[in-house]
Amino acid sequence: DNVGTFEANMKLSRDRAESVARELSGKYRVASDRLKPQGVASLAPVGSNDNEDGRQKNRRVELVKQ
């Protein structure tokens, strides 16, 4: 979501992506070289940041096949 500074949200976004990648490689044995965690902060919203429901939708991790 867009609450807070862009820099803080970018760090949170990257940290969230890295946490998911660690879980996938550690717990589910996905090869870590197949994962490339990236954060996009508020640059790719799927919901409105004008209300809590939309902000919750924007706090997510997506897996993208490359």
Side-chain angles (χ1 to χ4, degrees):
D1 63 39
N2 66 351
V3 176
T5 66
F6 179 78
E7 292 78 15
N9 285 333
M10 185 58 81
K11 180 182 180 334
L12 178 62
S13 185
R14 279 193 306 264
D15 290 349
R16 182 178 287 134
E18 289 169 0
S19 176
V20 170
R22 278 193 305 275
E23 187 78 3
L24 288 171
S25 65
K27 187 174 182 180
Y28 296 99
R29 308 270 192 234
V30 175
S32 59
D33 62 347
R34 294 182 60 204
L35 303 171
K36 191 158 63 169
Q38 306 232 333
V40 296
S42 59
L43 298 176
V46 294
S48 170
N49 280 305
D50 293 334
N51 59 64
E52 184 57 29
D53 184 54
R55 287 189 291 273
Q56 284 183 347
K57 290 177 183 173
N58 292 332
R59 297 177 200 130
R60 70 192 188 284
V61 172
E62 294 181 3
L63 299 178
V64 179
K65 184 177 177 179
Q66 299 289 311

